[in-house]
Amino acid sequence: MTEHRHEPPLAALPPFAPGFRWGAATAAFQIEGSTGADGRGSSIWDTFSQTPGRILEGATAGIAADSYRRYADDIALLSELGVTDYRFSISWTRVQPDGTGPANGPGLDYYERVVDGLLGAGIAPLPTLFHWDLPQALEDAGGWLARDTATRFADYVALVLDRLGDRVHRWITLNEPAMMTLQGYALGTQAPGRALMMGALPTAHHQLLAHGLAVSAIRANSTAEVGITNNHTLVVPASDAPGDQLAAAAFDLVYNRIFADPVLAGAYPDLSAFGIDGFPGVQPGDLELIAAPLDFYGVNFYNPTRVAAASAGSEFAAAGLPFEPADFVDVPVTGFGWPIVPSAFADVLVGLQDDYGDRLPPIVITENGASFPDVVVDGAVHDVERIAYLDAHLSAVRHAVELGVDVRGYFVWSLIDNFEWAEGYTQRFGLVHIDFDSGERTRKDSFDWYRGVIAAQSR
Ligand code: IFM
């Protein structure tokens, strides 16, 4: 846990180092739609989103931003934006409809079209191999609770490498395994909707094992660079009281350290605060695989989290958790209600450097952004709050660089408005507005702002 202390100075953004990567990010299930096209199989997110009561307003992702059909429009937008890289994800169920067996050719053809389109536009593809859309057939066989899913993942990665490995020179193995474990298996607020609380811990290890196996497959077959994306939050204790301090430390374990320590320090953190002795499911050799050196470490950052000791009789205490969330006082929030504290971003980056030292590879900011209730008026979207958010967070990244953190790239979440998981279409994160009825794309003011930043930084 890092203290909240790195206030970025208010000044024009000084240039990042030459070669800094500028990008925007998306994920397959959130943008593609065409969920029944070309032999695609069903994922846990298809099942979850078709289950009544799971998604706000009953939304599904059958069309989403229609990028499966409009990918060329999106590449044109990226080109106009001037990005050097595009981070998108590959849907496992387009490649292996049931998560096992031979490749589904038409599914891979689609990603080949995307990759070739990007390369033709001079944009480097940065695919994420797993962004939460686990094949439903694998979930039926145990999902991430089953060790075998990690092996299945390595087989899928081999099929993707076989088709795209000659053109893709940078890969991300997993996106935010913490959210899969915490929201998907511990709380059940996201797919697959299991509420196992600490019983979800094996899903953390099996995902990290899948990451390690994928790194090994990529290293064995190519010279491509590889990293993982974890999301990080700055955990702020609600007070100096020992109970709140202990609560914050415990939250830091489950949100940040369970997923970063094995990758960056080769060991799981001590979970005795939860009455757990030893991390479940770890076998000899696993941690060596998981901790194999990476070319970059992907960091997603959105907001800090304030945490207090669980109050007696609360649902958190009843569930055996030592913490409960606490609101920040007098802090502006995004459309999601997430606190906007840019200095916390610098704190997180400096904290990673302090905690992992030489074992921390160069950082790439693989997601940062904010949702606001954008509306199109006379063909324009004046999203001043998003510009302010991005501007302040980019300054915080720049400040962390000045403090000695090696950051090599920055990706805005997101290129386009999309299906925001359990929130359906109610949270818009895009630089480009999507009319979810017509698919029409409208550049927001933040699009022009980001294009200006990239152009100024590239001079
Ligand atoms: O939309 C998500 C994304 O899929 C993963 N990171 C956080 C984003 C905003 O909630």
Side-chain angles (χ1 to χ4, degrees):
M1 195 174 32
T2 321
E3 280 170 36
H4 178 199
R5 63 183 188 279
H6 300 108
E7 293 290 342
L10 289 173
L13 189 69
F16 284 85
F20 192 84
R21 312 304 297 182
W22 292 97
T26 61
F29 192 76
Q30 294 180 270
I31 64 164
E32 287 177 357
S34 298
T35 47
D38 297 333
R40 176 187 178 279
S42 187
S43 78
I44 56 173
W45 269 99
D46 293 287
T47 308
F48 192 75
S49 56
Q50 286 155 17
T51 306
R54 288 302 204 173
I55 311 291
L56 216 55
E57 300 176 347
T60 64
I63 299 175
D66 205 11
S67 289
Y68 191 76
R69 296 188 306 170
R70 291 173 177 259
Y71 72 91
D73 295 348
D74 296 339
I75 293 173
L77 286 166
L78 288 160
S79 233
E80 195 183 326
L81 203 48
V83 295
T84 57
D85 297 57
Y86 177 45
R87 176 179 178 230
F88 59 100
S89 81
I90 294 180
S91 156
W92 190 340
T93 59
R94 288 200 192 279
V95 177
Q96 284 180 308
D98 289 329
T100 55
N104 172 43
L108 279 169
D109 292 346
Y110 168 66
Y111 293 109
E112 189 163 61
R113 289 196 291 278
V114 172
V115 166
D116 288 347
L118 289 167
L119 292 172
I123 298 167
L126 177 57
T128 303
L129 289 156
F130 180 71
H131 195 125
W132 302 351
D133 43 359
L134 184 73
Q136 181 60 45
L138 292 187
E139 177 59 27
D140 295 343
W144 286 114
L145 289 163
R147 186 178 171 92
D148 187 54
T149 300
T151 315
R152 300 280 71 78
F153 181 68
D155 291 349
Y156 147 73
V157 169
L159 295 175
V160 176
L161 285 177
D162 193 43
R163 178 69 82 91
L164 299 175
D166 58 339
R167 278 156 286 180
V168 171
H169 304 302
R170 257 181 163 192
W171 300 94
I172 293 173
T173 54
L174 308 180
N175 178 73
E176 300 182 2
M179 293 302 101
M180 185 90 246
T181 294
L182 300 178
Q183 299 192 329
Y185 286 91
L187 300 173
T189 49
Q190 296 207 349
R194 309 285 303 274
L196 306 172
M197 299 309 289
M198 294 314 272
L201 277 183
T203 69
H205 182 61
H206 296 147
Q207 287 184 87
L208 293 178
L209 182 60
H211 155 78
L213 291 169
V215 171
S216 166
I218 292 167
R219 297 274 188 245
N221 289 292
S222 72
T223 55
E225 295 186 359
V226 59
I228 187 172
T229 282
N230 273 326
N231 51 336
H232 283 278
T233 189
L234 181 80
V235 187
V236 181
S239 77
D240 288 341
D244 289 344
Q245 300 280 329
L246 284 173
F251 188 82
D252 189 46
L253 283 178
V254 293
Y255 196 101
N256 294 313
R257 292 195 40 212
I258 281 178
F259 301 90
D261 281 14
V263 174
L264 298 174
Y268 282 102
D270 175 13
L271 295 182
S272 51
F274 296 90
I276 292 168
D277 181 20
F279 208 88
V282 181
Q283 294 188 8
D286 288 358
L287 282 161
E288 286 72 14
L289 266 176
I290 292 169
L294 298 175
D295 300 294
F296 61 94
Y297 183 69
V299 172
N300 292 356
F301 177 84
Y302 289 89
N303 55 269
T305 308
R306 192 158 179 260
V307 167
S311 345
S314 68
E315 56 181 313
F316 298 92
L321 297 175
F323 49 71
E324 66 184 29
D327 286 339
F328 283 91
V329 182
D330 290 336
V331 165
V333 294
T334 69
F336 232 134
W338 295 350
I340 303 175
V341 187
S343 61
F345 198 177
D347 293 339
V348 160
L349 296 172
V350 173
L352 286 167
Q353 181 67 56
D354 289 349
D355 289 348
Y356 301 109
D358 289 348
R359 297 194 63 161
L360 180 69
I363 287 175
V364 174
I365 309 304
T366 42
E367 285 180 29
N368 176 234
S371 65
F372 290 104
D374 306 312
V375 281
V376 182
V377 179
D378 297 333
V381 180
H382 300 306
D383 56 339
V384 286
E385 291 171 296
R386 178 171 295 101
I387 294 173
Y389 176 99
L390 293 172
D391 191 42
H393 284 76
L394 206 39
S395 294
V397 175
R398 190 65 188 76
H399 186 50
V401 169
E402 275 153 25
L403 294 172
V405 185
D406 186 1
V407 183
R408 304 276 178 95
Y410 176 87
F411 288 69
V412 170
W413 183 271
S414 176
L415 175 66
I416 51 181
D417 290 340
N418 54 52
F419 179 82
E420 178 52 32
W421 308 113
E423 310 302 315
Y425 296 105
T426 63
Q427 300 298 323
R428 295 179 176 272
F429 279 86
L431 297 170
V432 176
H433 180 278
I434 301 288
D435 178 324
F436 291 109
D437 293 322
S438 67
E440 187 181 353
R441 279 127 166 88
T442 305
R443 294 159 190 75
K444 302 181 191 175
D445 287 357
S446 57
F447 181 94
D448 297 327
W449 170 84
Y450 192 42
R451 183 177 54 189
V453 168
I454 297 172
Q457 288 277 332
S458 310
R459 264 181 221 130

